[in-house]
């Protein structure tokens, strides 16, 4: 709808724009496959990726120049892959192998279940607000949630956890102050 509503965009530019998103994701995945991220850098890169991704994405809907939108989207989705990959690899590292399938299914169910709710909220906002304002509002909310997720207690320890640091139970105790009984 945004590309239809903006006179400087249109269907052809929408197609090109939508092709740039997976290109950014592929480049991000490629970078992660050739760069070895040190343990003490994981959280910094995760935080940088998350904040850049959602910090610059609103500018896609602020600038009125298609040729500025393209690099913004490319960089945003490159960073998206980086922070999601670091997060998912940390989860796989911390969750015991016999529970990974259940945890992965739960995470996919939650994210998949939230998509229709997001579409509903976006649709309702789009009916009452100009499309640009609705999208910027939703991206602003995503940015706020991302900041909360990045700065939640224990996220640095979780993302930088390695088995040589101790057991997962010790990680939980350290990050939450909870004493687990055997």
């Amino acid at each position: 709808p945004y590309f239809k509503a903006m006179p400087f965009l249109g269907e052809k530019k929408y197609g090109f724009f939508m092709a740039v998103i997976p290109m950014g994701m592929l480049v991000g995945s490629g970078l992660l496959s050739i760069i070895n991220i040190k343990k003490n850098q994981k959280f910094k890169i995760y935080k940088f990726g998350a904040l850049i991704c959602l910090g610059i994405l609103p500018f896609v809907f602020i600038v009125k120049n298609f040729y500025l939108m393209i690099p913004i989207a490319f960089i945003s989705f490159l960073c998206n892959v980086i922070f999601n990959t670091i997060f998912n690899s940390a989860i796989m590292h911390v969750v015991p192998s016999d529970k990974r399938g259940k945890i992965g299914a739960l995470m996919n169910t939650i994210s998949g279940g939230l998509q229709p709710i997001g579409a509903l909220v976006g649709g309702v906002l789009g009916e009452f607000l100009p499309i640009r304002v609705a999208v910027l509002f939703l991206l602003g909310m995503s940015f706020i949630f991302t900041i909360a997720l990045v700065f939640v207690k224990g996220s640095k320890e979780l993302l930088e956890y390695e088995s040589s640091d101790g057991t997962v139970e010790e990680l939980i105790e350290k990050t939450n102050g909870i004493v687990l009984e055997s």
Side-chain angles (χ1 to χ4, degrees):
Y2 179 76
F3 274 73
K4 273 178 100 173
M6 297 296 123
F8 68 97
L9 295 172
E11 295 86 10
K12 289 180 185 175
K13 289 181 179 174
Y14 176 74
F16 186 75
F17 181 83
M18 293 307 290
V20 166
I21 291 171
M23 287 191 313
M25 295 170 88
L26 281 170
V27 170
S29 296
L31 284 172
L32 286 175
S33 69
I34 60 174
I35 295 172
N36 185 21
I37 300 172
K38 293 184 169 99
K39 174 188 169 183
N40 64 346
Q41 295 296 313
K42 285 181 184 177
F43 182 69
K44 289 177 188 171
I45 294 170
Y46 169 82
K47 182 170 55 172
F48 176 80
L51 296 177
I52 292 297
C53 171
L54 283 165
I56 68 170
L57 192 56
F59 288 99
V60 165
F61 302 94
I62 293 171
V63 300
K64 294 184 179 182
N65 181 324
F66 179 71
Y67 301 103
L68 286 176
M69 292 170 69
I70 295 300
I72 293 169
F74 181 86
I75 292 167
S76 181
F77 283 90
L78 180 148
C79 290
N80 179 285
V81 163
I82 290 172
F83 84 81
N84 274 309
T85 302
I86 292 172
F87 176 79
N88 287 325
S89 66
I91 294 298
M92 287 183 12
H93 198 79
V94 171
V95 174
S97 59
D98 63 323
K99 305 261 191 285
R100 284 186 194 138
K102 292 176 184 176
I103 297 298
L106 177 64
M107 289 172 52
N108 288 336
T109 300
I110 290 170
S111 75
L114 290 174
Q115 287 176 354
I117 295 168
L120 175 69
V121 170
V124 169
L125 284 175
E127 285 295 317
F128 298 105
L129 298 171
I131 190 84
R132 178 180 280 168
V133 173
V135 170
L136 289 172
F137 173 78
L138 293 171
L139 287 172
M141 295 301 297
S142 294
F143 189 69
I144 290 168
F145 286 121
T146 300
I147 289 172
L149 184 64
V150 166
F151 293 106
V152 71
K153 180 183 175 190
S155 60
K156 181 179 190 307
E157 291 82 3
L158 170 72
L159 293 168
E160 294 181 352
Y161 172 77
E162 291 181 359
S163 56
S164 61
D165 297 335
T167 65
V168 172
E169 289 78 15
E170 290 170 339
L171 172 68
I172 293 168
E173 287 178 24
K174 180 180 172 186
T175 58
N176 294 328
I178 298 172
V179 177
L180 299 176
E181 296 183 24
S182 304

